[in-house]
Amino acid sequence: MRARFTGRGRTGRTIGLTSVALALTLSVAGCSGAGNVGKGDPNTINVLMVNNPQMVDLQRLTAEHFTKETGIKVNYTVLPEDDLRDKMSQDFSSQAGQYDVASLSNYETPIYARNGWLTPLGDRAEKDPKFDQSDILNPVRSSLTAADGKVYAEPFYGESSFLMYRKDVFQAAGLTMPAHPTWHQVAAMAEKLDGYRKGMKGICLRGQVGWGQVVAPLTTVVNTFGGTWFAKDWQAKVDSPEFTKATQFYVDLVRKHGEAGAAQAGYTECLNDMQQGKVAMWYDATAGAGSLESSDSKVAGKVGYAPAPVEKTNSSGWLYTWAWGLQKASTHQDAAWKFIRWASSQGYEQLVGRTLGWSKVPAGKRASLYRNPQYLKNSGAFAPATQQAISSAKPNDPGVQPRPAPGIQFVGIPEFADLGTKVSNEVSSAIAGKQSVPEALKKSQRLAKEVSDAHANN
């Protein structure tokens, strides 16, 4: 999820649409945050952060290390992803300055940058040799770079997607995972492994509602099957033969050989199923590998990692990063940068490795981590596959045709959060057997056409 947007330098109505869409696609969250605590104190900053495990680890380590070293106190507001996006959109769009720093993704970063809500960070990073901006993996850095060529956020961790599979089960079943599997090969293997062991399903795929849930893996399948959400001229293509074929394949695969309750299953549910030995394969985020190989995982040492399955493209893995953005209205620019520099640094990765364990390192952003003997000793089963997946991701060219905006598992426009969520409702309903795929995509095409018409008329 990142890179340079095609045709991003629009003004007038497009900028208005961007701001309005961001506001409309996010519902107001009733969560209390840091408020204006520390707003007048130059040595206190407010950080709005998603509640992912790696971020919770960061919160635990801050006072003892960052604050002790710099004297800067950090007030965290930690929220689930949807609530985070709500609050961040409200604060940054109004430039209220309630939060100095927020964790945002490569989806929001170029949009927020275009609207003037973020402070560019590239110059600070380039002038700081200890930070070593050149160490950031190129696809990740590119995804956080706006149309003006400036870097507007620094990554905390990055991820792509790959296929995780039970090596021991494959061996027992006489199967060999191809070096570069196709989706049809995966479907054939899922059929053979479905029920091979009591209670084991062939594969786990997200079916849960959400543009970041079922739509994320589904869109990578659409890309490699030759489909796209929008043609280069913004023509909506959600009911095209290619999009339909890919969606039908995905729905059939998860309905026939996927996990129980697939329509309600997302990343967390599939991770749990894989850890508990309930599925033989799982296609999802590379970030899941650390949990599969952790000391408390029942499948540690038994999992193999293959590239994201393909059909018509050479690669199909997605690209995503949680990064740190500095609000332009913040009155604590220097202190905020010091926090970002620390949280995105090689030093922080080493701190986590030493104190919490190398499997907990927020990986996927720095090339140096993949040369670190200690990290490779503990994460060697999946580290090379993760680095390769991220390095081969092509957010500007993820399919077989030109696109009007970048993105692999999303379309890099503000309206996509709302569009993707609405379409996910239809697809999830098809997975649940409540409607056919053509019916789901017919409704989805009408939604996509509303978006395409707005862009085509600009």
Side-chain angles (χ1 to χ4, degrees):
M1 305 171 162
R2 81 200 45 54
R4 291 176 292 278
F5 283 42
T6 303
R8 266 194 299 189
R10 295 171 179 162
T11 57
R13 185 181 170 193
T14 301
I15 297 300
L17 176 64
T18 296
S19 303
V20 171
L22 277 168
L24 292 179
T25 59
L26 300 171
S27 59
V28 176
C31 299
S32 60
N36 291 324
V37 175
K39 193 169 183 179
D41 183 350
N43 289 318
T44 299
I45 61 171
N46 295 325
V47 174
L48 180 61
M49 189 167 68
V50 70
N51 67 342
N52 292 352
Q54 296 92 333
M55 276 75 166
V56 175
D57 290 339
L58 176 76
Q59 186 180 22
R60 289 170 50 197
L61 295 170
T62 297
E64 184 180 353
H65 298 278
F66 175 72
T67 302
K68 185 176 181 180
E69 294 168 7
T70 65
I72 299 170
K73 181 180 178 182
V74 181
N75 294 317
Y76 287 103
T77 298
V78 185
L79 298 172
E81 183 173 336
D82 289 345
D83 293 341
L84 166 90
R85 295 185 195 277
D86 293 348
K87 191 170 285 290
M88 181 171 63
S89 176
Q90 296 164 35
D91 193 51
F92 279 55
S93 63
S94 65
Q95 287 293 282
Q98 183 178 9
Y99 298 98
D100 302 289
V101 176
S103 51
L104 71 173
S105 74
N106 51 312
Y107 169 67
E108 291 94 0
T109 297
I111 298 170
Y112 279 31
R114 184 171 68 235
N115 285 348
W117 300 345
L118 299 173
T119 296
L121 300 179
D123 287 346
R124 285 182 180 267
E126 292 290 350
K127 294 175 182 178
D128 188 342
K130 289 185 177 180
F131 184 78
D132 194 2
Q133 181 79 306
S134 65
D135 187 40
I136 303 297
L137 295 172
N138 285 332
V140 176
R141 184 170 66 249
S142 178
S143 73
L144 302 173
T145 301
D148 60 6
K150 297 179 180 180
V151 175
Y152 280 87
E154 296 294 348
F156 184 54
Y157 69 82
E159 67 178 39
S160 183
S161 55
F162 55 22
L163 182 65
M164 295 158 273
Y165 64 98
R166 286 286 298 276
K167 294 185 296 184
D168 56 329
V169 176
F170 267 64
Q171 183 177 7
L175 294 175
T176 300
M177 176 62 71
H180 297 278
T182 67
W183 271 112
H184 282 90
Q185 288 174 329
V186 170
M189 291 185 290
E191 181 178 11
K192 185 168 184 178
L193 294 171
D194 189 1
Y196 182 77
R197 289 185 177 176
K198 185 177 180 180
M200 176 175 280
K201 303 298 292 183
I203 194 168
C204 202
L205 296 169
R206 300 186 196 185
Q208 191 176 100
V209 170
W211 70 271
Q213 288 289 356
V214 65
V215 162
L218 172 62
T219 301
T220 70
V221 178
V222 168
N223 291 336
T224 198
F225 268 69
T228 182
W229 286 75
F230 300 101
K232 189 176 181 180
D233 62 358
W234 283 111
Q235 182 183 0
K237 304 288 286 184
V238 175
D239 64 349
S240 67
E242 297 84 3
F243 203 114
T244 302
K245 183 178 180 181
T247 306
Q248 189 70 63
F249 174 87
Y250 189 99
V251 171
D252 287 347
L253 178 56
V254 74
R255 280 180 59 81
K256 292 177 181 178
H257 307 299
E259 71 279 12
Q264 289 78 44
Y267 171 83
T268 301
E269 289 74 21
C270 282
L271 172 60
N272 289 338
D273 280 356
M274 191 70 179
Q275 282 184 313
Q276 297 299 318
K278 295 180 180 180
V279 294
M281 292 183 287
W282 176 32
Y283 170 63
D284 214 296
T286 55
S291 297
L292 296 182
E293 301 294 346
S294 64
S295 59
D296 59 349
S297 172
K298 293 182 179 180
V299 297
K302 300 178 181 179
V303 181
Y305 303 90
V310 295
E311 286 295 321
K312 295 183 177 181
T313 58
N314 292 327
S315 63
S316 69
W318 70 53
L319 185 64
Y320 193 76
T321 176
W322 277 113
W324 305 109
L326 203 172
Q327 185 169 181
K328 195 171 184 178
S330 168
T331 58
H332 304 132
Q333 297 282 317
D334 290 342
W337 165 247
K338 288 179 181 178
F339 168 79
I340 293 172
R341 178 182 63 185
W342 175 71
S344 293
S345 68
Q346 294 180 36
Y348 179 75
E349 292 178 343
Q350 293 165 6
L351 172 65
V352 173
R354 292 194 311 269
T355 59
L356 304 180
W358 289 99
S359 67
K360 290 181 173 290
V361 171
K365 65 178 182 294
R366 288 186 171 273
S368 58
L369 183 65
Y370 296 95
R371 298 189 299 267
N372 185 314
Q374 292 173 296
Y375 178 71
L376 294 176
K377 180 180 178 180
N378 290 270
S379 306
F382 59 87
T386 298
Q387 184 183 21
Q388 177 60 31
I390 293 173
S391 298
S392 62
K394 300 178 179 179
N396 284 324
D397 185 26
V400 302
Q401 66 282 95
R403 311 293 174 94
I408 301 176
Q409 76 276 33
F410 61 77
V411 182
I413 56 175
E415 302 94 330
F416 186 75
D418 182 54
L419 172 62
T421 297
K422 289 178 178 177
V423 171
S424 76
N425 272 285
E426 303 300 336
V427 174
S428 186
S429 177
I431 291 173
K434 297 179 180 179
Q435 64 178 337
S436 69
V437 167
E439 288 172 334
L441 296 186
K442 183 178 181 180
K443 298 173 187 176
S444 300
Q445 172 69 5
R446 289 196 294 266
L447 298 169
K449 192 173 186 304
E450 293 176 5
V451 174
S452 67
D453 287 347
H455 279 272
N457 293 330
N458 280 330

